[in-house]
Amino acid sequence: MTQSASSSLSASTAYLRFPHLHGELVAFTAEDDVWLAPLDGGRAWRVSADNVPVNHPRISPDGTTVAWTSTRDGAPEAHIAPVAGGPARRLTHWGSWRTQVRGWTPDGRVLALSTQGQASLRRSWARAVPLDGGPATTLPYGPVGDIAYGPHTVLLSAPMGREAAWWKRYRGGTAGKLWIDREARAGEAGQAAEAAAAGTGGTEGTGEFVRLHEDLDGNLEYPLWVGERIAFLSDHEGTGALYSSLADGSDLRRHTPLDGFYARHAATDGTRVVYSSAGELWLLDDLDGAEPSRLDVRLGGPRVDLQPHPVNASRWFGSAAPDHTARGSAVAVRGAVHWVTHRAGPARALAAEPGVRARLPRTFRAEGEEWVVWVTDAEDDDALEFAPATGLAPGATPRRLAAGQLGRVLELAMAPDGS
């Protein structure tokens, strides 16, 4: 199995993540919004239009509603919107930076994780959130990182706060672990959760959760029930891939290749599995030998996030130094040095090279001409660069001195006579 991302990435010019499928639709995030698209490929349309970080859109079991995590109002919260179109509505007001929608409960409530009310950002509890805005029910599983409802309830241990692709081949104590309750089916576990929340005790025969795939030395995440098999992501073979097994841990299979990028953000409709890799969406029609196929999803609209974005100079202002005449100043803004006149005339860039940071500009006069000196890391180690305040001649470059001889420059001052 192979999946080459280079050619298709240039064609799609979009970075797609957090997919979920239902029927003939796939939901995903791109350009800081939630989108829907036909599963067989084509042009996508926006569900949200807030242009803020969002994640984990999940289509409801009846296919009418999309739930997702949005930072529209500051801290991440659960939001919903109709699949057919309409305004989004906020469901939670927890104010926790570790809130995340993860799916739907069997009875049609939004399944969300949050550390709201907890003393640590690693103690995320699962909650069932009703769509009518009522209070959420805390599920009695303790700190968890995910829940998969199916023939049995499967839990993911509360993770370290980073997905496996961000912390590749992590083998520490907070790596993701799977736990399964093989005694009770998911419906019984759901009843037990409601009973415990109501203070009436649990259902008989709920059983104990036991570790699943304890022998896999990897970071496990995104547990899913696909038919009678448990699917999950793991990097125990060196690269994140999709695996599945039976409920007792036997018949372990790998379904995605190891020769490319990590498989991420797996989700299922109970039969098919969709995941992201290298900013593209991939589909497995089943776990019985199907090969991953790339979804040909195209974004419409003006693609605003691909355009150059002017930053607010006041927010990124570093320092400034006026010249001897007080008619202009050398100004450092976001790693670049500019010459700015105080009354009229153009501003000009003296040092604005991508990937290079210029800082601490200082002005001085030499032989009747105004000059600017600043610190640059163009050669990795700090060095000094000089240029006339009027700008360099076409094709000229600033004069550079003492690269690697200064250490880390913390302050800079010029002699009054400019020598």
Side-chain angles (χ1 to χ4, degrees), residues 48-120:
S48 68
D50 299 320
N51 197 32
V52 297
V54 291
N55 61 68
H56 292 91
R58 294 294 184 261
I59 305 174
S60 62
D62 61 7
T64 63
T65 306
V66 183
W68 70 92
T69 318
S70 173
T71 57
R72 185 189 68 187
D73 303 319
E77 302 286 358
H79 290 66
I80 58 171
V83 168
R89 183 160 55 91
R90 177 175 168 181
L91 286 186
T92 62
H93 297 78
W94 292 333
S96 166
W97 290 105
R98 289 292 304 279
T99 291
Q100 197 174 82
V101 168
R102 298 304 294 227
W104 295 79
T105 64
D107 59 1
R109 292 179 290 177
V110 175
L111 175 64
L113 305 177
S114 181
T115 57
Q116 186 266 338
Q118 298 296 312
S120 168

Side-chain angles (χ1 to χ4, degrees), residues 75-241:
E77 302 286 358
H79 290 66
I80 58 171
V83 168
R89 183 160 55 91
R90 177 175 168 181
L91 286 186
T92 62
H93 297 78
W94 292 333
S96 166
W97 290 105
R98 289 292 304 279
T99 291
Q100 197 174 82
V101 168
R102 298 304 294 227
W104 295 79
T105 64
D107 59 1
R109 292 179 290 177
V110 175
L111 175 64
L113 305 177
S114 181
T115 57
Q116 186 266 338
Q118 298 296 312
S120 168
L121 290 179
R122 290 186 177 178
R123 295 183 59 84
S124 53
W125 285 63
R127 292 169 169 85
V129 185
L131 303 188
D132 61 4
T137 300
T138 299
L139 304 181
Y141 301 124
V144 294
D146 206 348
I147 300 176
Y149 292 111
H152 306 279
T153 300
V154 174
L155 306 178
L156 174 70
S157 61
M160 60 187 299
R162 301 180 181 93
E163 61 172 287
W166 291 0
W167 201 248
K168 293 179 174 61
R169 289 167 288 279
Y170 172 73
R171 297 294 183 264
T174 57
K177 304 172 183 65
L178 299 183
W179 300 80
I180 185 170
D181 180 359
R182 296 195 182 101
E183 298 300 322
R185 299 181 63 83
E188 296 171 348
Q191 295 169 16
E194 293 182 3
T200 59
T203 36
E204 188 125 8
T206 299
E208 296 289 332
F209 283 88
V210 295
R211 180 89 177 271
L212 180 65
H213 293 305
E214 188 173 0
D215 57 328
L216 293 185
D217 184 24
N219 196 355
L220 280 57
E221 58 182 358
Y222 287 91
L224 314 166
W225 276 104
V226 185
E228 295 296 318
R229 298 184 66 83
I230 303 170
F232 56 93
L233 298 178
S234 174
D235 63 354
H236 65 274
E237 292 188 276
T239 302

